[in-house]
Amino acid sequence: MIIKGSVERVVFRNAENGYSVLIISDSIISITAVGIVPPISEGEIVELEGDMITNSKYGEQLKIKSAKICLPNSLDSMTKYLSSGLFKGIGEVTAESIVKEFGEQTFDIIEKNPARLVKAKGMSATKAMSLHEAFIELKDMQNTMVGLQKLDISLNLALKIYKIYGNSTLNILNDNPYKLVEDVDGVGFVTADRIAQEIGIKPDSEFRVRAGIVYCLKQAAANNGHTYLPKAELMSIVLKLLCLNIEENESLFDNVLDVLEIGGIVVILQNDSKAIVMFNRYYLLERKISERLISLNNSQTQLHTDIRADISEFETINNIKMHDNQILAIENAVRYGVNVITGGPGTGKTTIIKCILFIFRKLNLNTRLCAPTGRASKRLAEACGEEAKTIHRLLDLNFKNGKGYFTYSENTTLDADVIIVDEVSMCDEYVFSALLGAIKHGGRLIMVGDKDQLPSVGAGNILGDIIAFNKLPVSYLTYIYRQEHQSMIVENAHRINNGEMPVIKNADSDFLYSNIKGQEAIAETVVDMVSRRIPNYMNVDPYDIQVLCPLKKGVSGVNNLNVILQNAINPQASYKKEIKMGEHVYRQFDKVIHIVNNYDLEWTRGDEIGVGVFNGDIGKIIDVNENEGKLVVEFEDERVAVYTRDIFDQLLLAYSISVHKSQGSEFDIVVIVLMGGSYTLMTKNLLYTAVTRAKKMSVIVGDDKHLYSMVHNNYTAKRYTLLTQMLEEEFERQHIE
């Protein structure tokens, strides 16, 4: 549907994302139009394309898909436009005097001969030039937005692009639309390639090959955790993506790669006699991590204490007896500057941390606890009875000049003698590097984690690479502490990790299994369990039950389960506000998860103000303002953040989440969905990770053949990283010096 008319009133406009509510009138009717548009003012003539929808609160509205803006053509509308607030210093009186003086030529004078504007009452030469510049800038922006829409780019994405390139947008895209891949979040290769084809860029353009290389390296990091790719493998992936023959285009690929290296985008190295290609930022991160770890390990000072006597005192106070490998872990933590403690559930990691804290407190050492996620830090604090923070909060993430930054760094180190990091396997390279940089010379670092869990969602393999280095103390906890009421979750987690089928005792057990065949039946069973059976049996809120899936797609995958669980747990109601964005419905009281690291998103917690919301943070939508295009989310640690439409895509429903997204988190009750999938994905360590997320109850729903297959699937995806090799090199270098 296309509607053309004048803008009678701008009811609301969000300057950040362009979401607007407009009253549009033609000669017959007035309608309300809502959507993302360029800056529009009262008096302008607009041509809107969209669909008529019925809002439960506001009635019929036009949901805008595209907008074309024309300058007002009547004297009254000209006056209204100039005094709309778009032009600083031009009020209604001044606008009237300008239009009265120049009539229908007003806009032409403003654009081409602004010096004449001083003839109008109230206009100075300075004000005239200011109006001219603002008018030109606005016109350029509107023309840019129209041009982007012609390239079939959504208004939301168009605004993102314009924020980066400004009035140069169309020129840049005409020259090289592939820059979008490098510069604009949310633009993939397919979008840039489509635009390039429309403007006639050749398939073997160097611009196209460059974009393909950057895109494939990004995808390798995001989807597979690689910090580099072998050059031959990268070339094969890129040229296949571009539909170019390898033999005919190898030299073209090499030439473009050389340009990227000269420009500091990538580094080309030799590893095991093979050329590899690595983003420069990952090279610098892994180099920094290796330098700091070896330096910290070399800078330790001998602590004067009888460790065995301290341990015995701790055992007496707490009426416990520790295993030999626990004692060894504690001794290593006290003796060495850097060490790793790794073990599965029930192996006593918490007890070890408590004992380490006890000894360091006796030595008057300032010890800080931290973890990569809010859930993990909260769990650590509860288990140890000590304050624990996220790494971001420990480093004091702040906001300045439009960017997030850490207060504590190499220049301002933490006032701490010992840093203990739990769930270190979840750390990405950026955050781990920042933490290492903030530890003072002579400080100690104790890393705690489970080597058998999935590696971090982000690129890199911090825990695995440090263990593989084999020159830093690593304590392996293998003894499982059995208690009077032994948890079957713990027992079965270890059985799965050892390649053994779990023991199923559905009666009075915290580990349940429902053998269901077929995706539709699995989905129905999961919804019934989460919405009715488990809440009634355990007397819990459905919001406290977390569904974990190995796959996103499919009837029993994350995406579909979220839709049907939303309808079952938080159905549509007249008193609940909601916003639809694409295929997603965001409804008041929905459980949601933040899926990227946003270091710039502001939040409040009472009187406290901070920045930074991170991948895996789970919360609830507490308010929705459709007209303003805003969602208000309260996270589990009581932080409250406001989301505008341009960042809605950073939120997903969280009734069901992927196993990878659950890393570092614990939930009272977990429902695990088993389904068929790729051999490389449906692995033993994925199932092990899922089971170990549960504190009080773990429920598996699925086909027993898939359970058997996963338990016996030892496949571990290789991550291409250089950290182990760099640690070796740095170890040799520092010991030679």
Side-chain angles (χ1 to χ4, degrees):
M1 180 177 189
I2 296 176
I3 292 176
K4 187 173 183 179
S6 70
V7 180
E8 290 296 308
R9 186 157 64 96
V10 180
V11 179
F12 171 81
R13 176 169 177 80
N14 185 314
E16 288 294 313
N17 62 14
Y19 183 81
S20 303
V21 180
L22 312 170
I23 305 297
I24 308 297
S25 115
D26 61 16
S27 57
I28 302 172
I29 60 168
S30 290
I31 66 164
T32 301
V34 299
I36 296 171
V37 295
I40 288 179
S41 291
E42 294 170 3
E44 285 187 297
I45 308 298
V46 294
E47 186 177 290
L48 304 176
E49 183 181 356
D51 299 316
M52 292 302 297
I53 61 170
T54 302
N55 183 285
S56 57
K57 185 175 181 180
Y58 300 103
E60 278 201 330
Q61 299 177 333
L62 179 75
K63 189 174 183 181
I64 302 167
K65 290 182 178 178
S66 66
K68 183 179 178 182
I69 303 167
C70 309
L71 287 172
N73 51 17
S74 72
L75 298 184
D76 284 345
S77 60
M78 286 179 176
T79 302
K80 197 171 187 179
Y81 175 66
L82 289 175
S83 61
S84 64
L86 282 176
F87 308 105
K88 190 177 179 181
I90 308 298
E92 188 174 346
V93 174
T94 305
E96 285 178 353
S97 70
I98 294 170
V99 175
K100 184 178 178 181
E101 179 70 33
F102 301 107
E104 293 178 355
Q105 293 183 304
T106 294
F107 293 147
D108 195 55
I109 296 294
I110 293 172
E111 183 178 0
K112 299 175 182 177
N113 199 358
R116 290 182 60 190
L117 291 173
V118 296
K119 290 185 177 182
K121 188 177 178 181
M123 290 296 292
S124 64
T126 302
K127 190 181 285 188
M129 284 307 298
S130 177
L131 174 58
H132 164 74
E133 290 168 359
F135 185 88
I136 295 295
E137 184 179 355
L138 184 61
K139 186 177 178 181
D140 287 345
M141 179 184 182
Q142 291 175 339
N143 289 337
T144 298
M145 301 301 288
V146 171
L148 290 173
Q149 288 176 54
K150 287 179 180 177
L151 295 171
D152 200 26
I153 295 173
S154 70
L155 282 165
N156 193 17
L157 185 55
L159 279 163
K160 284 186 179 180
I161 296 170
Y162 186 82
K163 279 184 179 180
I164 294 172
Y165 299 139
N167 293 334
S168 303
T169 297
L170 295 179
N171 288 333
I172 289 172
L173 294 194
N174 283 325
D175 289 339
N176 177 18
Y178 294 106
K179 275 186 65 63
L180 294 171
V181 177
E182 296 182 43
D183 299 338
V184 185
D185 289 337
V187 179
F189 180 82
V190 173
T191 299
D193 203 39
R194 176 182 55 74
I195 297 169
Q197 288 175 19
E198 289 182 14
I199 64 176
I201 290 180
K202 294 180 179 179
D204 60 352
S205 161
E206 290 191 2
F207 290 148
R208 188 167 186 254
V209 177
R210 175 184 174 118
I213 293 171
V214 171
Y215 174 76
C216 289
L217 285 173
K218 280 185 176 180
Q219 290 297 104
N223 297 336
N224 304 107
H226 301 316
T227 62
Y228 76 84
L229 284 176
K231 181 185 171 185
E233 185 175 331
L234 175 63
M235 182 171 65
S236 176
I237 296 169
V238 170
L239 296 182
K240 185 178 179 180
L241 172 71
L242 305 181
C243 299
L244 296 175
N245 181 275
I246 292 179
E247 288 78 15
E248 294 175 1
N249 292 281
E250 184 174 352
S251 61
L252 171 63
F253 176 86
D254 286 341
N255 291 339
V256 174
L257 203 57
D258 287 342
V259 171
L260 283 168
E261 185 178 30
I262 292 168
I265 306 298
V266 303
V267 293
I268 304 172
L269 305 165
Q270 292 294 125
N271 186 37
D272 294 332
S273 303
K274 293 181 180 178
I276 66 170
V277 183
M278 191 176 196
F279 274 133
N280 190 49
R281 63 178 179 272
Y282 289 131
Y283 173 81
L284 294 174
L285 283 171
E286 293 189 354
R287 181 64 69 195
K288 178 181 173 182
I289 290 169
S290 61
E291 288 173 356
R292 287 294 296 156
L293 277 175
I294 302 302
S295 177
L296 281 172
N297 192 56
N298 291 340
S299 68
Q300 82 270 15
T301 55
Q302 187 68 39
L303 297 175
H304 301 289
T305 186
D306 187 335
I307 303 174
R308 288 293 178 111
D310 292 335
I311 294 171
S312 293
E313 184 181 353
F314 178 81
E315 289 177 320
T316 302
I317 293 171
N318 293 277
N319 194 29
I320 59 171
K321 182 65 179 175
M322 284 193 275
H323 193 264
D324 287 348
N325 60 10
Q326 283 186 305
I327 293 171
L328 179 61
I330 295 165
E331 288 178 332
N332 285 342
V334 177
R335 284 179 180 150
Y336 300 105
V338 176
N339 67 95
V340 173
I341 301 169
T342 180
T347 56
K349 294 193 294 292
T350 300
T351 302
I352 289 171
I353 294 172
K354 285 181 173 179
C355 187
I356 291 169
L357 289 169
F358 173 78
I359 295 171
F360 285 150
R361 194 177 291 113
K362 286 183 66 177
L363 294 167
N364 293 317
L365 296 180
N366 184 4
T367 306
R368 309 289 287 275
L369 300 175
C370 62
T373 68
R375 276 183 169 267
S377 63
K378 184 180 179 183
R379 188 180 74 241
L380 181 62
E382 289 171 348
C384 296
E386 301 268 347
E387 182 185 41
K389 296 181 177 181
T390 65
I391 298 174
H392 300 92
R393 202 170 175 204
L394 179 67
L395 301 180
D396 191 25
L397 180 63
N398 272 294
F399 191 77
K400 187 177 181 180
N401 298 326
K403 291 290 182 182
Y405 71 97
F406 293 120
T407 300
Y408 296 102
S409 63
E410 290 90 342
N411 298 323
T412 308
T413 57
L414 289 161
D415 181 23
D417 303 299
V418 184
I419 302 292
I420 300 176
V421 190
D422 198 14
E423 297 285 359
V424 73
S425 63
M426 284 193 65
C427 286
D428 64 42
E429 291 191 345
Y430 172 71
V431 171
F432 190 67
S433 172
L435 177 64
L436 289 175
I439 300 174
K440 67 184 181 181
H441 183 77
R444 280 173 159 74
L445 174 66
I446 300 167
M447 294 168 280
V448 184
D450 185 346
K451 67 178 179 61
D452 295 316
Q453 285 188 28
L454 295 170
S456 63
V457 175
N461 186 21
I462 296 293
L463 181 60
D465 287 348
I466 292 172
I467 291 174
F469 171 51
N470 204 31
K471 288 185 176 63
L472 296 174
V474 179
S475 302
Y476 298 92
L477 306 179
T478 55
Y479 182 80
I480 304 171
Y481 285 83
R482 300 191 178 272
Q483 301 170 353
E484 185 179 351
H485 302 289
Q486 177 63 30
S487 166
M488 291 303 298
I489 296 173
V490 173
E491 183 172 330
N492 281 330
H494 286 278
R495 288 184 65 87
I496 291 167
N497 199 35
N498 293 329
E500 303 170 8
M501 290 291 286
V503 175
I504 309 300
K505 301 176 181 178
N506 280 353
D508 299 320
S509 174
D510 60 358
F511 190 98
L512 309 178
Y513 175 60
S514 185
N515 185 12
I516 306 293
K517 301 183 188 302
Q519 287 206 37
E520 289 82 2
I522 290 171
E524 289 174 5
T525 302
V526 168
V527 172
D528 187 44
M529 280 188 170
V530 175
S531 63
R532 185 182 65 84
R533 288 163 59 183
I534 296 175
N536 291 340
Y537 176 64
M538 297 285 291
N539 193 28
V540 296
D541 192 306
Y543 284 89
D544 296 328
I545 304 168
Q546 187 58 62
V547 178
L548 303 181
C549 299
L551 301 174
K552 292 180 181 179
K553 297 181 179 179
V555 176
S556 57
V558 170
N559 298 340
N560 188 58
L561 279 177
N562 265 323
V563 173
I564 57 181
L565 283 167
Q566 181 190 44
N567 292 332
I569 297 171
N570 188 34
Q572 190 176 34
S574 58
Y575 64 90
K576 298 177 189 175
K577 295 176 282 187
E578 63 181 51
I579 290 179
K580 189 173 182 187
M581 187 78 170
E583 298 178 356
H584 301 287
V585 175
Y586 301 93
R587 185 173 296 142
Q588 193 175 11
F589 312 125
D590 270 338
K591 182 179 180 181
V592 289
I593 183 170
H594 189 93
I595 60 170
V596 297
N597 287 337
N598 186 334
Y599 292 90
D600 305 333
L601 183 57
E602 189 174 280
W603 52 260
T604 60
R605 179 164 46 205
D607 296 331
E608 184 184 2
I609 299 174
V611 291
V613 180
F614 306 105
N615 190 0
D617 286 351
I618 292 176
K620 184 182 285 189
I621 297 174
I622 59 174
D623 194 20
V624 175
N625 191 320
E626 186 176 5
N627 274 346
E628 294 186 11
K630 291 180 179 179
L631 301 172
V632 183
V633 177
E634 182 175 15
F635 293 98
E636 294 172 323
D637 59 0
E638 298 181 341
R639 289 173 302 150
V640 176
V642 178
Y643 289 74
T644 52
R645 282 184 179 266
D646 57 324
I647 57 171
F648 279 7
D649 58 358
Q650 297 182 12
L651 282 178
L652 291 177
L653 294 178
Y655 302 102
S656 171
I657 62 175
S658 69
V659 179
H660 287 81
K661 287 293 184 190
S662 74
Q663 289 171 256
S665 297
E666 274 191 344
F667 309 92
D668 283 348
I669 302 168
V670 164
V671 175
I672 303 165
V673 179
L674 293 191
M675 56 200 299
S678 164
Y679 175 81
T680 59
L681 180 64
M682 308 302 287
T683 62
K684 178 182 71 178
N685 72 332
L686 185 133
L687 181 58
Y688 171 77
T689 300
V691 168
T692 55
R693 300 307 88 202
K695 290 193 290 185
K696 296 180 179 179
M697 178 178 283
S698 180
V699 182
I700 297 178
V701 181
D703 195 327
D704 53 2
K705 73 176 183 182
H706 294 140
L707 177 61
Y708 181 88
S709 174
M710 291 184 74
V711 168
H712 295 90
N713 182 0
N714 292 316
Y715 176 83
T716 303
K718 174 169 173 61
R719 287 199 168 188
Y720 292 125
T721 68
L722 281 186
L723 182 57
T724 300
Q725 180 179 315
M726 287 187 178
L727 284 165
E728 294 278 2
E729 293 171 358
E730 188 62 28
F731 181 84
E732 294 297 325
R733 187 185 69 80
Q734 291 197 27
H735 278 76
I736 290 172
E737 291 177 354

